[in-house]
Every structure is written in C-alpha cells, then in structure tokens.
Amino acid sequence: MKKTILMFAAVGAMLFTGCKDNASDKVKAENVEASAERDAKETVYPEITFEETEFDFGNIAKGTPVEHVFKFTNTGDAPLVITNASSSCGCTVPTYPKNETIAPGDSGEMLVKFNGAGNGQVTKTVTVSANTEAGKEQIKIKAFVEADENAS
C-alpha cells in the first residue's frame, strides 16, 4: 500500500513540475520554416518516362534471339536510381544502368533481350524498380513466335 501511494505521489509530482512552461512558447519560427522546407524536399521524387512502354517484335522464328532498347528520361525533380529490372520469365533478360544516378532531365537506356521461346503470341513484362514515387514501373515486349517447321 505504501509503495502504491509513493508511486502516485511521484507521478503527480512529475506532472505538476513538468507542465509549468507552455510548450508552444518554446517553438522557434525559423525551426518551423526549416523543417517545412526539409519535409517539402522529401516529397520530391524522380519520374521515369519511357519513350515507349511496349515494343512489338512482330513475327519471329522460334528460338531467334531479338533485342530492343527502351529509352527513358528522368522527368522528375530528383536524381533517379534504378535498383533492379526483372522479367516475367527467364527467356527475357533486361540490362539497366547499374550504379548510375540519372539527374533530372537526363536520359538513359534499358536493353531487353528475348530468346524467342514460346509459341504463338507472346507477351513478356519487365518490372523496373527505382526510387520513383510508385517504386515500380513496367515495360512490355511482344512477339508472334512462329512454330519451327523442322519440328514434327
């Protein structure tokens, strides 16, 4: 019982002594402006804009390797960093600018290779991970893979 009373007394003492000053009087206007400016900068993102988000190779023979270069521009207000590019299957291999920072207004290229696997109409997706607001962007390649005439 004595411990409980002592604990309540200690908490009460802290409350009464800690609330003497008005906290809003301690806030400095220049600190508020600096933190608002800092927070505004944190909401600025790069934006990756591809010249085309889909490319059609047309008709290709089965097993014929093809490739296409997707050109892009950083149309945002912060430096762009591509951290990864992965395809929907192993038959498609993207190559992206690794360890590069693309400044606002600058351009870059991403090479996508397709080995001609599959039959008929084929669509493959490449997911690009970057420091954009969305975090991920997608580009696609398409082809009509014609059957091998020598296969029976």
Side-chain angles (χ1 to χ4, degrees):
M1 181 75 170
K2 288 181 183 180
K3 289 183 182 178
T4 306
I5 294 172
L6 184 59
M7 187 174 70
F8 280 122
V11 170
M14 283 191 282
L15 288 174
F16 288 118
T17 58
C19 296
K20 283 196 275 184
D21 297 330
N22 186 354
S24 62
D25 292 340
K26 295 181 180 180
V27 176
K28 295 181 181 177
E30 62 267 12
N31 291 345
V32 172
E33 291 171 12
S35 63
E37 186 176 322
R38 180 198 66 226
D39 292 346
K41 286 181 182 176
E42 287 182 5
T43 59
V44 175
Y45 293 99
E47 188 173 328
I48 188 167
T49 304
F50 286 94
E51 286 183 5
E52 57 188 346
T53 57
E54 190 172 302
F55 182 78
D56 190 348
F57 289 109
N59 292 357
I60 63 170
K62 185 175 185 85
T64 303
V66 291
E67 58 185 48
H68 180 70
V69 174
F70 286 90
K71 296 180 181 183
F72 61 88
T73 303
N74 178 1
T75 56
D77 296 322
L80 173 68
V81 178
I82 297 174
T83 56
N84 193 20
S86 59
S87 66
S88 54
C89 80
C91 61
T92 306
V93 179
T95 304
Y96 62 96
K98 294 178 175 91
N99 302 321
E100 283 186 40
T101 300
I102 297 133
D106 285 353
S107 298
E109 296 180 344
M110 181 170 301
L111 176 67
V112 178
K113 296 180 181 179
F114 173 59
N115 69 3
N119 288 314
Q121 186 65 44
V122 177
T123 301
K124 303 297 176 184
T125 303
V126 174
T127 302
V128 180
S129 300
N131 62 332
T132 60
E133 186 172 11
K136 295 186 186 286
E137 311 295 329
Q138 290 189 334
I139 53 177
K140 294 181 181 182
I141 58 167
K142 296 188 329 185
F144 186 86
V145 180
E146 298 173 345
D148 187 2
E149 294 177 9
N150 297 330
S152 41

